[in-house]
Each structure stands twice: as structure tokens, then as C-alpha cells.
Amino acid sequence: IIANLSRKIRGPGGSREVLVTRVADALREQISSGDLKPGARLMSEIALARSLEISRPTLREALRSLVREGLVDIKHGVASSG
């Protein structure tokens, strides 16, 4: 899953807003395709951000947009789930 996400978020136009959108879109696609199953836990924010080579605030903003859409639940002290 991480390799797929990394490939999808790379590209021209690396402003933070563009990167947040790309990360959210890539995660959304993983969820809608079934690669991320409902209730599946993601790795910690720190580990996921490092794996994707993005900042933690960028990842958090992308995850928050998915929370607003009802696609992801964030539980403090527990890895996020899709």
C-alpha cells in the first residue's frame, strides 16, 4: 500500500496544498478500491509520514479531510483506521 501511495503523490507542483490533495486522493482511492479495508489500521502518523516522505502536518491535513468525508476515523493514541 505504501509503495502505491508514494507513487501517486509524487509529481510536479509540490506546494503543500497540492501535496495534501494528492495524499488525500491516494488514500481515498485505496479505500474505494478495497485495498484499505474498513476498520483497517494505518501505521502511526510519524511512520506513515516518513514512509511517504512527507511532513506530519501534511499527512494530518490529508487525514482530516478524509475524516470530514467519513472515510477515516482518528483515535488519539491509536493508529488511524480507514
Side-chain angles (χ1 to χ4, degrees), residues 40-71:
R41 289 191 177 176
L42 299 174
M43 59 180 73
S44 71
E45 281 183 357
I46 293 170
L48 186 55
R50 282 184 186 150
S51 295
L52 297 175
E53 299 177 357
I54 60 174
S55 71
R56 197 167 162 200
T58 297
L59 177 61
R60 279 185 175 168
E61 192 170 333
L63 288 172
R64 280 191 213 117
S65 70
L66 298 176
V67 167
R68 286 190 297 271
E69 294 172 29
L71 296 174

Side-chain angles (χ1 to χ4, degrees), residues 1-11 14-16 18-28 30 36 42-63 66 72 80:
I1 292 175
I2 298 303
N4 287 340
L5 290 174
S6 290
R7 279 193 297 272
K8 291 177 189 217
I9 64 173
R10 300 290 167 233
S15 73
R16 184 164 184 264
V18 169
L19 193 52
V20 166
T21 300
R22 285 185 185 153
V23 172
D25 288 348
L27 285 167
R28 191 179 297 108
Q30 294 287 312
L36 274 175
L42 299 174
M43 59 180 73
S44 71
E45 281 183 357
I46 293 170
L48 186 55
R50 282 184 186 150
S51 295
L52 297 175
E53 299 177 357
I54 60 174
S55 71
R56 197 167 162 200
T58 297
L59 177 61
R60 279 185 175 168
E61 192 170 333
L63 288 172
L66 298 176
V72 172
S80 299

